[in-house]
Amino acid sequence: MKLKLYADRMSQPSRAVLIFCRVNGIDFDEVKVDISKRQQLTPEFAEINPMKKVPAIVDGRFKLFESHAILQYLASAFPGVADHWYPADLFKRAKINSVLDWHHSNLRRGAAPLVLNKALAPALGLPLNPKAAAEAEIILSASLAKIESFWLKGNGRFLLGSLQPSIADLSLVCEIMQLEVLDDKVRARILGPHKKVIKWIDDTRNATQPHFDEMHAILFKAKEKLLKMHSDAGSDQTESSRKPALPSKI
């Protein structure tokens, strides 16, 4: 039975799993779960993932959620996956696990809330939250600095000094790519100081083409829609300010 992958391409972890499957020739059916329509909250999807988040997979009678666990499973269970993605060497594998654990308690805590509160919230029916965005940016900047100074140490182009990408590279880069929906000046201000990070993103992208660009195309479409939403909102406010004030009651 073919693998089923429940995903929304606007989700960073979903894109990581999708790209991994495509790069490694894993045959799967992509089942779209539209987060903007709250489809992840339906009783039907809760049967797949009781946590009601994407991505999730069904492989025969086996169900699994959490993107890192999914990537580890796919790399181990499917023949033909190159060893560099999740090496059989126990020590190398443990190092990759340490990056993945660090990701969710650091990088994701900065990137995800920053993008949500600075750009995506209105598309989900939520208000922007400048205070939360500012706090998240501090965490994100510290995380990018740690990637630059520690995780990218060594002679290799990828995390942990590796010459080829692992599931950790893919997971972290997909997280950072979510910044594409931000204003170009904001994104440049955040990423600009981290030259090694920028090169590493490009190296990971090039190593996973054409699938990387295919899965991230949705971000650039979303950015266009968000810019239009902000532009329309600004026009409405300008038009409102031009209307003559009603006379005050006597």
Side-chain angles (χ1 to χ4, degrees):
M1 184 177 289
K2 189 186 293 189
L3 177 77
K4 285 189 176 181
L5 171 49
Y6 295 79
D8 183 335
R9 294 188 184 189
M10 277 301 296
S11 151
Q12 308 90 302
S14 291
R15 292 195 302 271
V17 177
L18 285 162
I19 293 168
F20 181 83
C21 287
R22 288 285 180 84
V23 168
N24 288 287
I26 297 173
D27 193 21
F28 69 97
D29 285 329
E30 181 181 352
V31 182
K32 183 177 180 181
V33 180
D34 194 331
I35 294 174
S36 68
K37 296 179 180 178
R38 305 292 196 273
Q39 290 178 351
Q40 80 277 18
L41 304 179
T42 63
E44 292 79 12
F45 185 67
E47 291 293 320
I48 305 298
N49 180 4
M51 302 299 141
K52 300 180 180 180
K53 293 183 178 182
V54 290
I57 62 169
V58 176
D59 187 17
R61 291 184 294 177
F62 178 63
K63 299 175 183 177
L64 187 64
F65 51 88
E66 290 296 332
S67 63
H68 292 167
I70 292 170
L71 289 167
Q72 291 163 345
Y73 170 76
L74 295 175
S76 304
F78 283 79
V81 175
D83 185 69
H84 65 83
W85 286 108
Y86 197 49
D89 182 291
L90 185 59
F91 297 123
K92 292 181 179 178
R93 183 169 285 200
K95 288 287 189 180
I96 289 172
N97 290 342
S98 71
V99 180
L100 294 173
D101 286 350
W102 176 87
H103 171 199
H104 269 170
S105 57
N106 293 273
L107 179 65
R108 186 162 182 77
R109 284 182 55 239
L114 170 64
V115 172
L116 173 66
N117 289 295
K118 205 169 187 67
L120 284 182
L124 299 174
L126 301 170
L128 294 175
N129 187 331
K131 182 176 183 293
E135 292 171 351
E137 185 174 335
I138 293 171
I139 298 172
L140 173 59
S141 295
S143 298
L144 292 171
K146 187 63 69 176
I147 293 173
E148 181 110 351
S149 64
F150 183 74
W151 296 120
L152 286 174
K153 281 196 307 186
N155 298 324
R157 294 181 298 152
F158 300 99
L159 298 173
L160 302 168
S162 300
L163 299 176
Q164 293 176 294
S166 73
I167 59 174
D169 292 277
L170 193 53
S171 185
L172 271 65
V173 167
C174 284
E175 187 75 63
I176 296 170
M177 282 297 295
Q178 202 79 348
L179 302 181
E180 290 291 344
V181 303
L182 299 177
D183 178 83
D184 289 340
K185 291 181 180 178
V186 174
R187 181 178 177 275
R189 172 171 55 77
I190 294 170
L191 284 179
H194 307 289
K195 305 304 181 187
K196 287 174 70 175
V197 169
I198 293 171
K199 184 180 185 305
W200 161 65
I201 292 171
D202 286 340
D203 287 339
T204 303
R205 174 176 177 264
N206 292 333
T208 54
Q209 290 290 48
H211 313 294
F212 189 94
D213 282 355
E214 176 193 353
M215 296 303 167
H216 284 93
I218 191 170
L219 289 183
F220 299 101
K221 292 180 181 178
K223 184 173 187 174
E224 291 177 6
K225 291 180 180 178
L226 288 169
L227 287 173
K228 187 176 186 304
M229 283 177 61
H230 295 157
S231 175
D232 290 346
S235 297
D236 290 344
Q237 290 177 359
T238 302
E239 187 64 29
S240 176
S241 67
R242 288 174 180 166
K243 291 180 180 179
L246 293 173
S248 55
K249 292 182 181 179
I250 299 176

